[in-house]
Amino acid sequence: MAARRGLSRRPASRSPGRDVPVMAVQHSGEADVEVRDFDAVAAFAQSKAKELGQCVSSFPDQEMILWLKPLRLSRRLRNMARFDEVVATFWGDGDYGVQQALTDEMVREAERVLGVALPSALLDLLRVQNGGIVSADHDAFPTSRPTSWSEDHVPFDDLMGIGRRDGTTSLLDTPYLVEEWGMPAPLVLLSGDGHSWIGLDYRACGRDGEPSVAWFETDLDAELVLAADFRSFVEGLTAAGAFGNGCTDTPASA
């Protein structure tokens, strides 16, 4: 059997009179090369398309476009791999907070009750397990400033599912919880204990948009954006144990 080809990269051939900042990428099937020139490639394509009054897809330098597409694909594959890696190890042991297996009908009913479109990344997680304890590898999210919980992170011990299991809090309880704890709307609460919550914030994107993920402290009437979207939030999760004891003794003002 022939040896597998390793990763390598080389400059793409250039058309006469052009200075195209493009880097070729080869794959071994095991990993992707870090593409450091991607932004330069995209900027070059956009500038040339604007100069000719054409869209990038119709730009006549076909060789450049052939290189540009794999670079875009390479970045997308790396992002997908990180998310899938977390999903595979996301859920902890036990049945605390677990609802019945998620169905498309349950998703439609939840979106009707909540009045929003739920992120596809969230539904991907809930189709693996519909709520429950988060594993110790992914039970915290780092923060850029202190909160009442910690100097450098917030907890994410569990993720609520979608359902009506007796004695189990669900995403469907969001409307009641938001009103009870005096939080803004529209939100979808993911995890929390009343005094603090992590939730999907639809105020900026609208009910059909891609919500950011934010930390809310009801006692202090404070909030902190954690991630631009749920997928980014999941990819940024880490182990709470990595932060040590870091809990603050007194609430930190926002």
Side-chain angles (χ1 to χ4, degrees):
M1 180 181 296
R4 299 179 66 180
R5 295 178 62 186
L7 293 174
S8 64
R9 51 186 180 182
R10 57 179 175 79
S13 57
R14 302 170 185 268
S15 303
R18 300 186 187 276
D19 185 19
V20 184
V22 182
M23 182 174 289
V25 179
Q26 294 180 350
H27 306 281
S28 68
E30 298 175 343
D32 279 330
V33 170
E34 179 70 18
V35 181
R36 302 182 185 278
D37 287 21
F38 182 87
D39 292 337
V41 172
F44 175 84
Q46 291 168 1
S47 66
K48 282 298 180 183
K50 184 176 181 180
E51 178 183 324
L52 296 174
Q54 297 174 306
C55 66
V56 172
S57 61
S58 63
F59 182 66
D61 191 338
Q62 295 300 318
E63 181 180 5
M64 186 198 72
I65 297 301
L66 288 175
W67 284 115
L68 182 58
K69 288 179 178 179
L71 294 179
R72 285 175 173 164
L73 178 60
S74 177
R75 172 172 286 186
R76 188 178 304 118
L77 288 174
R78 284 199 302 277
N79 290 340
M80 289 173 60
R82 170 59 184 161
F83 179 76
D84 292 343
E85 175 186 333
V86 176
V87 170
T89 58
F90 180 82
W91 294 108
D93 297 328
D95 61 358
Y96 173 83
V98 180
Q99 305 281 347
Q100 69 183 78
L102 188 65
T103 65
D104 291 343
E105 182 178 353
M106 291 167 67
V107 172
R108 288 191 292 270
E109 174 64 10
E111 293 184 327
R112 184 192 67 79
V113 170
L114 298 170
V116 299
L118 294 171
S120 59
L122 172 61
L123 297 177
D124 288 343
L125 265 178
L126 296 182
R127 286 189 173 102
V128 175
Q129 179 177 299
N130 192 7
I133 298 294
V134 175
S135 75
D137 290 333
H138 309 296
D139 61 353
F141 193 90
T143 59
S144 57
R145 60 177 173 82
T147 67
S148 63
W149 174 265
S150 168
E151 294 289 334
D152 51 13
H153 73 283
V154 293
F156 193 61
D157 299 324
D158 60 87
L159 171 61
M160 293 189 289
I162 296 172
R164 298 292 189 186
R165 181 180 174 184
D166 289 344
T168 301
T169 309
S170 162
L171 297 185
L172 301 179
D173 294 309
T174 290
Y176 163 75
L177 293 170
V178 165
E179 182 177 0
E180 177 72 13
W181 291 96
M183 287 182 286
L187 301 180
V188 173
L189 299 180
L190 303 175
S191 180
D193 62 2
H195 302 286
S196 60
W197 297 91
I198 290 177
L200 303 174
D201 187 352
Y202 286 84
R203 288 175 293 174
C205 68
R207 294 179 180 272
D208 295 321
E210 188 72 27
S212 60
V213 179
W215 165 262
F216 298 91
E217 298 184 88
T218 57
D219 293 339
L220 299 176
D221 193 23
E223 58 188 73
L224 174 65
V225 175
L226 301 176
D229 53 66
F230 185 76
R231 180 180 290 269
S232 299
F233 173 75
V234 169
E235 292 172 345
L237 289 170
T238 188
F243 296 96
N245 187 7
C247 293
T248 54
D249 294 329
T250 57
S253 58

